[in-house]
Amino acid sequence: MPKNKVVSLEEAMSHIESGMTVAVGGFLSQGDPLTLIHGLKDTDVKDLTMISCTGGFRDRGIVELVKLGKVRKLIASHIGTTPDVVKAYHAGELEVELIPQGTLAEQMRSGGAGLGGFLTPTGLGTVVAENKQHIEVNGRTYLLEKALRADVSLVRAHDGDTWGNLRYRGTASNYNPVCAVCSDYTIAEVEYLYSPGEIAPESVHTPGLYVKAVVRADLHYRGSSLSAC
Amino acid sequence: MSDIKNTIAARAAQELTDGQVINLGIGVPTLVANHVPPGVDVVIHSENGAVGVGPAPDALCSDPDRGNAGGAPITLIAGGSYFDSATSFGMIRGGHVDMTFLGTLQVDGEGNIASYEIPGKLVAGMGGAMDLLAGAKTVNVLTEHCSKDGSSKLVEKCTFPLTGAGEADVIITERALFRRHVDKGFVLEEVARGYTVDDIKACTDMDYTVSDAVKLNAYGLEE
């Protein structure tokens, strides 16, 4: 494992190719890897399948890639906060697969944990259950949901070190930890970059072995300014 | 309008018991937090990854890394914590969230809830609602009794895609409260001020029975 994974945004983006499946952390712009998404905007990559809880928030996030025609399919839980994603779907420009939020998180976690899938009660009796195997365990019925894996994952963390150890902040954690594990090549943008050991080992949320490349976050691509509260 | 919403939220808050962990959906359910009865202490869970949610911060103190499931800024009370989505939905499915409050498009007498999609019109995604319905111990449906066109939202049978099958436990509108019992389905237990049992019958398409002890003038705005 290389001990210094810090690369330029361009170098990190060179690992993403047209036709790939890309998983993205974040939820309604909380913890969205906006630096990496903007990096992807500047490439020629297209025909992507993207896995993300939401399409972003209003005009920020994955919706920006959708508007550029780079996304063929979006696997998500909620696209209602990005009207342009809904519009692309209705126009037939974008395929959308909607998945319950907890199921999506567990599919990504399972994909990274070497599991084929898991059993959940979520979605029983709804369209989500159609054409899925129903399995009874101890008298209770569950759906078999299969794991998800991606070629590349894009995540954002508040703190990271040069090994790729990551620590998230507040509700910006959300899908980033499961996203970091579910692919072959995880790229992390970090707001604050530390030397190994500066983040206490007990405080590491995503161990560096999952992360292949670390990019300094462009703080321009963040929500409103931090407060003292 | 806001009076209708607060009437529903205030009655819904009476369902809370001390020590519960609760989840509030977007819209009217969020208002439940403003009506928690004195002496009742509940802990608010937000499915995007927080427990112990406190009052909203003032605008100058908002922080993009501290938001709720609707994207609005939050604070935490002392003892609250943040966690990732896999953990959060494990809490929900695992039965660690006692009660959830959500709005709906339709609800029917079998406890079916259709809250997330109007085919061809509104395609947004189910978000966390399916997990919450499947996992929370008690599901409270908070809704205006009728749509803007006057049709009952308490329908004979849900026609929109279901969010959960047989998951509704209590339905609270600005006009009435129905509670579902294992043996007899939904029972009309309370009628709000300004309405009669017959009024409720006239505006409700859902199957239900009337409790022998139905309470009139049970809640709602004072005259």
Side-chain angles (χ1 to χ4, degrees):
Chain A
M1 183 169 89
K3 292 186 177 172
N4 187 357
K5 299 173 183 172
V6 181
V7 298
S8 68
L9 182 57
E10 293 71 24
E11 157 68 14
M13 289 300 111
S14 71
H15 292 269
I16 305 176
E17 295 166 21
S18 291
M20 276 187 166
T21 297
V22 180
V24 181
F27 172 88
L28 299 181
S29 92
Q30 297 163 32
D32 284 18
L34 294 175
T35 307
L36 301 177
I37 287 171
H38 277 260
L40 198 45
K41 275 172 78 171
D42 293 335
T43 68
D44 295 328
V45 168
K46 57 181 174 21
D47 200 26
L48 296 172
T49 295
M50 305 203 77
I51 304 170
S52 170
C53 181
T54 65
F57 196 56
R58 295 179 184 149
D59 55 358
R60 301 196 317 159
I62 286 174
V63 58
E64 298 173 67
L65 300 172
V66 170
K67 281 162 79 174
L68 289 174
K70 290 182 175 295
V71 186
R72 183 183 65 77
K73 179 176 179 180
L74 176 61
I75 299 170
S77 182
H78 197 272
I79 56 172
T81 56
T82 43
D84 285 328
V85 170
V86 177
K87 208 157 82 180
Y89 164 72
H90 282 304
E93 294 159 2
L94 176 73
E95 192 184 331
V96 174
E97 182 180 346
L98 294 168
I99 295 177
Q101 219 171 308
T103 298
L104 182 63
E106 204 62 21
Q107 284 179 308
M108 293 164 83
R109 198 192 71 78
S110 298
L115 303 177
F118 57 95
L119 302 177
T120 178
T122 299
L124 281 170
T126 75
V127 290
V128 168
E130 286 172 12
N131 305 317
K132 280 183 189 147
Q133 210 175 325
H134 290 57
I135 295 170
E136 198 172 299
V137 181
N138 296 331
R140 212 179 151 192
T141 304
Y142 298 88
L143 292 180
L144 172 65
E145 293 281 6
K146 294 177 184 169
L148 276 175
R149 256 192 96 85
D151 297 303
V152 175
S153 288
L154 309 180
V155 302
R156 180 180 179 111
H158 191 260
D159 305 311
D161 67 24
T162 54
W163 277 37
N165 291 306
L166 305 177
R167 182 169 60 191
Y168 308 100
R169 179 171 180 273
T171 52
S173 173
N174 59 62
Y175 284 78
N176 283 303
V178 290
C179 186
V181 304
C182 78
S183 76
D184 303 329
Y185 196 91
T186 293
I187 306 168
E189 64 173 80
V190 301
E191 290 172 41
Y192 294 91
L193 182 63
Y194 295 93
S195 298
E198 285 191 293
I199 300 174
E202 296 85 352
S203 298
V204 170
H205 294 142
T206 293
L209 69 82
Y210 291 110
V211 177
K212 297 291 190 291
V214 176
V215 172
R216 292 296 295 265
D218 181 341
L219 295 186
H220 177 71
Y221 299 126
R222 195 172 200 274
S224 50
S225 60
L226 277 172
S227 74
C229 297
Chain B
M1 193 60 167
S2 64
D3 282 341
I4 289 178
K5 289 179 178 177
N6 278 300
T7 296
I8 297 169
R11 178 58 192 86
Q14 301 295 320
E15 295 295 300
L16 299 169
T17 56
D18 198 37
Q20 281 182 321
V21 178
I22 64 167
N23 184 291
L24 304 175
I26 294 163
V28 175
T30 306
L31 300 175
V32 172
N34 301 338
H35 297 278
V36 178
V40 173
D41 199 6
V42 292
V43 175
I44 298 175
H45 172 271
S46 188
E47 67 269 25
N48 57 315
V51 71
V53 177
D58 66 46
L60 292 173
C61 290
S62 73
D63 176 336
D65 289 343
R66 308 197 187 295
N68 68 15
I74 58 167
T75 62
L76 284 196
I77 59 171
S81 57
Y82 296 113
F83 33 82
D84 69 276
S85 297
T87 302
S88 186
F89 283 92
M91 290 173 182
I92 292 167
R93 288 188 310 264
H96 307 286
V97 173
D98 296 304
M99 198 171 250
T100 190
F101 297 81
L102 87 164
T104 198
L105 298 163
Q106 298 175 323
V107 57
D108 71 27
E110 290 176 0
N112 298 319
I113 297 166
S115 65
Y116 80 99
E117 185 173 316
I118 303 172
K121 274 193 187 165
L122 169 72
V123 181
M126 65 291 280
M130 284 192 180
D131 300 280
L132 281 159
L133 294 188
K137 288 181 203 145
T138 304
V139 174
N140 297 302
V141 178
L142 311 189
T143 179
E144 288 184 42
H145 208 99
C146 295
S147 308
K148 287 192 184 82
D149 66 5
S151 61
S152 184
K153 293 180 77 172
L154 283 51
V155 297
E156 195 182 340
K157 190 150 186 61
C158 290
T159 53
F160 299 146
L162 297 187
T163 318
E167 300 288 2
D169 296 303
V170 183
I171 303 169
I172 300 168
T173 80
E174 78 283 12
R175 303 179 192 183
L177 180 146
F178 303 84
R179 202 179 298 276
R180 193 154 69 108
H181 297 255
V182 181
D183 49 342
K184 46 190 171 184
F186 277 107
V187 176
L188 174 63
E189 292 191 349
E190 297 182 20
V191 177
R193 281 186 197 89
Y195 299 93
T196 65
V197 170
D198 283 342
D199 290 337
I200 301 306
K201 190 180 174 189
C203 64
T204 306
D205 294 340
M206 175 184 89
D207 282 339
Y208 67 93
T209 54
V210 181
S211 167
D212 294 338
V214 63
K215 272 168 72 180
L216 299 175
N217 300 316
Y219 62 97
L221 297 174
E222 299 289 347
E223 291 295 327

